[in-house]
Amino acid sequence: EASWKKFGIRSQMSREDWRRENVDAFIERVYRSIKNAKPPVKFGVSPRGIWRPGNPPQIKGTDAYAELYADSRKWLAHGWVDYLAPQLYWARSPKEQSFGVLLNWWVDQNPKHRHLWPGIAIWRARQWSADEIPSQVQLTRDSTGASGYILYNASSLMQNASLSAQFSRTLNIQPALVPPSRWLVGALPGKPIASVSIGVFRTKLSWSPAATNSIRWWLVQTKDSGEWKTELLPSTVLSKSFSTAPDVVSVSAIDRAGNLSSPAVLQLKESSPAPVPKEKPLPRAKNY
């Protein structure tokens, strides 16, 4: 009340608009302050999954815009976040809060093409059918405008043995890269310089960065008996040993913004072709 009397009244805005403007200004300042201090650091918000009832028309629920003064659609449209994770904590079937309908709506509100990672309600998994969470994951992966998802929350996942097993055995068999944020940096990381030494009892893969780009991770992929396997290693690790030589090895660099370099591919066995791994060799997901 004191702040409204001191600052709000003279703004000539309604109290509700004045509150929203304060929240908007806060979000924008946080984003720009982070970028001024350390550009690769990503900033995001996880707002309520319904921006306003009636958007799209069938949706009903809490009006975050009017009741919380949170214009999260504006933050996404203006690019004041690197990712937005709307809390889509509903199943697919209820018409008034449909996970899929809301996901598609949020995708359409993203002109700056920031990361859209819907929040999935792991804590509600026991209330739903066994296929609900896997189906929501698949809906997200099928969406051209969503580049991952966030599972809320970790303890609920760890306490649900059957669902944890589904993720490890079928949904997320391999590690997942955080999608690249190309608007945060300039040049992509350079292609690593890789070499292999083959001994009697082990094969050693060694690599080094091609340039001075800041490397966060190394993506090491090996092909053996027709299957690719993936491993993410810290930037300080520059070698890996194998007891049995794989058919093909590949090393790529990943910078702090998640951008992936071209792979350095080495064929170790002539009988096996050495196709270059795809530019996006892993399922893109963000798992907490």
Side-chain angles (χ1 to χ4, degrees):
E1 183 67 23
S3 296
W4 166 248
K5 288 179 178 178
K6 186 175 182 179
F7 303 106
I9 293 175
R10 69 188 187 194
S11 71
Q12 298 185 341
M13 290 186 287
S14 70
R15 191 165 183 158
E16 290 75 18
D17 287 342
W18 179 72
R19 285 181 167 181
R20 271 186 293 271
E21 185 182 72
N22 275 290
V23 178
D24 292 345
F26 171 75
I27 294 292
E28 183 181 12
R29 283 201 304 269
V30 170
Y31 184 79
R32 300 200 186 285
S33 297
I34 289 172
K35 301 312 168 190
N36 288 335
K38 206 168 187 180
V41 172
K42 290 181 281 294
F43 171 65
V45 181
S46 182
R48 283 183 178 266
I50 296 174
W51 174 65
R52 301 205 73 179
N55 293 270
Q58 70 191 64
I59 297 300
K60 298 178 181 178
T62 300
D63 191 337
Y65 177 92
E67 297 180 37
L68 302 179
Y69 313 102
D71 192 356
S72 49
R73 184 178 74 166
K74 182 177 181 179
W75 313 336
L76 183 62
H78 282 70
W80 294 341
V81 292
D82 296 306
Y83 69 87
L84 196 79
Q87 300 169 23
L88 303 189
Y89 296 162
W90 300 281
R92 294 163 295 154
S93 57
K95 178 181 177 182
E96 294 78 9
Q97 297 95 23
S98 167
F99 176 91
V101 170
L102 284 166
L103 174 61
N104 292 335
W105 183 86
W106 279 107
V107 166
D108 291 339
Q109 314 309 310
N110 191 13
K112 298 283 188 181
H113 303 292
R114 296 302 195 242
H115 295 308
L116 186 67
W117 298 331
I120 295 178
I122 291 292
W123 57 278
R124 283 186 164 171
R126 297 186 188 278
Q127 305 170 20
W128 296 336
S129 63
D131 69 335
E132 181 63 40
I133 297 296
S135 295
Q136 291 187 14
V137 170
Q138 193 58 51
L139 275 175
T140 304
R141 288 178 172 169
D142 290 343
S143 171
T144 57
S147 57
Y149 54 88
I150 292 179
L151 305 178
Y152 183 80
N153 57 30
S155 60
S156 297
L157 178 62
M158 300 307 293
Q159 292 166 11
N160 190 328
S162 61
L163 188 58
S164 296
Q166 273 189 291
F167 272 95
S168 62
R169 294 173 185 170
T170 60
L171 294 173
N172 280 2
I173 300 174
Q174 302 253 24
L177 297 179
V178 174
S181 303
R182 301 195 186 280
W183 56 88
L184 295 184
V185 294
L188 297 177
K191 178 180 177 180
I193 301 168
S195 62
V196 169
S197 60
I198 301 177
V200 178
F201 299 107
R202 69 171 187 167
T203 297
K204 184 177 181 181
L205 169 67
S206 302
W207 62 87
S208 60
T212 58
N213 300 66
S214 178
I215 305 301
R216 183 68 177 272
W217 300 97
W218 298 106
L219 173 66
V220 178
Q221 295 176 279
T222 57
K223 185 181 180 183
D224 204 356
S225 301
E227 291 188 6
W228 285 97
K229 293 185 178 180
T230 297
E231 188 174 5
L232 289 174
L233 299 175
S235 60
T236 53
V237 177
L238 296 174
S239 66
K240 180 176 174 60
S241 295
F242 307 92
S243 56
T244 304
D247 299 341
V248 183
V249 294
S250 169
V251 183
S252 303
I254 304 170
D255 66 17
R256 289 183 59 84
N259 297 303
L260 192 67
S261 74
S262 297
V265 181
L266 300 174
Q267 181 174 316
L268 306 188
K269 297 179 181 178
E270 293 186 3
S271 60
S272 173
V276 176
K278 297 179 181 179
E279 182 181 354
K280 295 182 178 180
L282 301 176
R284 297 288 180 168
K286 189 172 179 65
N287 304 319
Y288 284 164

